[in-house]
Amino acid sequence: MNQAVDNAVIRQSLSLVDLARPLIGDLQKKIDALFTKEEICAFDKLILTGCGDSYIAGVAAKPAFQKLAGLAVDALPAPEVAYNYNNSKFNYGKTLCIGISISGKVAATAAAMEAVHPYGAFTLGITENLEAPLAQHVDRVLKHDSPEAELAPGTATYFTSVMTLLLLAIKMGEVKGRICAEQAEAYREGLAAYCEAFRPHIDEIIAKAESLGKKLAPCTHYDCVGSGLDYASAWFARAKLYEAIGKVTAVENTEDWCHVNYFARNPQNIGTIVYVTASSPAKYRCIEAMQNMARLGRPTVAITDVCQSEIPAGIEVVSIPTAAESWMAPLMQFMPLTLLCGYLQNELGETPLRGITESPWGDGDRNCIYADQSHQIEIVMDREKEGK
Ligand SMILES: N[C@@H]1[C@@H](O)[C@H](O)[C@@H](COP(=O)(O)O)O[C@@H]1O
């Protein structure tokens, strides 16, 4: 591995290939013991919710649950579930609501669990923290050991959340009899193989990320673009750029990008990251969007398994392996971007997440991003009592 620059997000990004198989082994044991067959067979609707990376992990896994487990799936930000979704006329019977939170400390995610539970939803928390509010407000907990690393734009954590959800989708499909045991095992192997397929390309991806770090560092803003299955990685890219270098970054689906972000002034200063998989039904619209990006003179990068010859001239391409199944792609397609974030941090001398507790982002020792832990949960419970 020819890696001259080293920092926490680069280390995390490069650890994922080796992490995959042991993680699958550990998670599978936990998932096998999580539900009875009767419980799994009873669920016909699924709500995936969380905040930040944990919300988008649900969006990334939604297609797997739809396809493999045959569930009707919503993937929603936690405040949507906590404050807008708890319609007391709604009967959640047969609904599984999964709250995803690495820390378990995001109050809105615990509040979402409280909002749906009284109406019959079965609530599951996926977290690494059994002591935090999420684990205290669910019917069941799936605790993983997300590799808690140094302060960095969370990368191995997101990988763990997505992996957990994809394995759970496979398990539910198997138990519901929609896929046979051999197919379920082949899918698990497919996840490991997809991660492994990155290994021979790592040096090439590192070299590309390093040169793109230099090219994109002077940009004043960034846009992250993707449609359908690729949207989750675009959204995640936006979050990581904020965390890594603190520059204003937008995320948009490809169609809306062509109608909205397209008009931004000073396009030469807007670094643009495009996610498009070769099997995406939005592929040709993405290619058209990239033609526009190139014409505008935007510094644009496509992270893609689409053949380079199909990508418009003027667009930088980071080539990544193709996943065996389209729903597997979000598991690793973000990786070149988190690597790029490491190089951007290095170019700009940035501290990830502005040091979290450093003023004005922190307040003394206090990490200001978390709400008062009990407050938001109480709001939901009070609304319920008032019948709102
Ligand atoms: N900066 C972090 C995000 O990276 C994270 O996605 C979010 C939710 O965290 P959790 O998964 O613990 O609920 O919290 C913070 O805002």
Side-chain angles (χ1 to χ4, degrees):
M1 214 182 284
N2 296 316
Q3 165 209 352
V5 176
D6 193 23
N7 59 35
V9 70
I10 291 177
R11 281 193 289 280
Q12 282 197 35
S13 304
L14 296 177
S15 73
L16 302 179
V17 173
D18 287 333
L19 182 62
R21 279 189 192 277
L23 185 64
I24 291 171
D26 180 54
L27 288 170
Q28 194 55 42
K29 280 189 225 127
K30 293 171 176 165
I31 287 169
D32 285 342
L34 188 63
F35 289 121
T36 64
K37 181 174 182 191
E38 290 67 34
E39 284 172 330
I40 287 183
C41 290
F43 299 134
D44 61 9
K45 180 158 193 244
L46 174 65
I47 301 169
L48 298 159
T49 192
C51 152
D53 303 359
S54 292
Y55 153 62
I56 213 66
V59 174
K62 176 177 168 175
F65 282 103
Q66 287 171 318
K67 182 175 161 61
L68 305 180
L71 297 166
V73 188
D74 270 339
L76 298 165
E80 277 296 300
V81 180
Y83 311 129
N84 291 339
Y85 210 77
N86 54 332
N87 181 343
S88 50
K89 293 187 184 68
F90 192 90
N91 176 5
Y92 288 98
K94 297 189 173 180
T95 299
L96 172 63
C97 185
I98 304 181
I100 307 143
S101 176
I102 298 292
S103 67
K105 293 200 293 190
V106 171
T109 307
M113 302 294 104
E114 283 294 325
V116 297
H117 191 265
Y119 304 109
F122 188 100
T123 54
L124 170 70
I126 297 182
T127 182
E128 68 168 4
N129 190 346
L130 292 176
E131 312 304 321
L134 177 63
Q136 314 295 319
H137 290 85
V138 286
D139 293 310
R140 203 157 297 165
V141 181
L142 197 173
K143 184 199 174 311
H144 53 63
D145 298 299
S146 160
E148 186 55 36
E150 314 128 281
L151 181 65
T155 298
T157 44
Y158 177 69
F159 181 75
T160 302
S161 294
V162 176
M163 184 74 94
T164 306
L165 291 167
L166 295 182
L167 290 171
L168 183 57
I170 295 170
K171 178 74 184 179
M172 292 181 85
E174 183 184 356
V175 172
K176 280 176 168 278
R178 293 175 52 87
I179 52 174
C180 66
E182 291 72 27
Q183 182 64 75
E185 189 50 35
Y187 283 152
R188 288 189 278 272
E189 180 53 35
L191 293 174
Y194 176 45
C195 298
E196 191 59 41
F198 277 71
R199 194 184 297 276
H201 301 283
I202 290 284
D203 280 344
E204 190 190 317
I205 294 173
I206 289 172
K208 194 79 193 178
E210 186 161 21
S211 74
L212 288 172
K214 294 187 198 317
K215 181 167 179 175
L216 296 185
C219 292
T220 53
H221 298 79
Y222 299 88
D223 261 357
C224 302
V225 186
S227 275
L229 251 169
D230 295 315
Y231 181 76
S233 294
W235 196 105
F236 182 68
R238 162 180 163 264
K240 296 304 104 175
L241 284 163
Y242 266 111
E243 290 177 349
I245 56 171
K247 292 196 193 180
V248 172
T249 303
V251 61
E252 196 49 271
N253 70 67
T254 315
E255 188 63 42
D256 275 302
W257 184 90
C258 294
H259 299 274
V260 180
N261 310 41
Y262 176 80
F263 296 106
R265 284 207 182 274
N266 301 316
Q268 72 283 2
N269 293 335
I270 308 175
T272 306
I273 313 290
V274 180
Y275 273 100
V276 52
T277 40
S279 59
S280 168
K283 179 178 128 182
Y284 292 103
R285 190 59 173 140
C286 283
I287 290 172
E288 285 178 345
M290 286 189 277
Q291 285 164 352
N292 287 340
M293 291 164 187
R295 191 169 35 75
L296 288 164
R298 284 191 180 218
T300 302
V301 183
I303 300 177
T304 185
D305 62 340
V306 173
C307 181
Q308 179 134 17
S309 61
E310 292 187 72
I311 304 291
I315 305 293
E316 299 270 6
V317 178
V318 182
S319 293
I320 56 171
T322 301
E325 302 289 332
S326 59
W327 50 266
M328 295 179 181
L331 182 63
M332 273 298 274
Q333 69 180 167
F334 67 82
M335 188 278 256
L337 184 281
T338 51
L339 204 53
L340 171 60
C341 283
Y343 287 102
L344 286 169
Q345 268 180 215
N346 181 62
E347 285 296 316
L348 296 166
E350 265 294 346
T351 307
L353 294 98
R354 321 288 78 72
I356 277 282
T357 53
E358 286 165 26
S359 177
W361 289 276
D363 180 13
D365 290 343
R366 196 163 76 86
N367 175 348
C368 299
I369 64 176
Y370 292 112
D372 172 328
Q373 291 306 311
S374 57
H375 186 57
Q376 292 190 31
I377 297 166
E378 280 165 10
I379 292 172
V380 170
M381 296 175 91
D382 288 348
R383 286 181 69 207
E384 290 313 307
K385 277 185 224 139
E386 290 161 17
K388 287 179 186 166

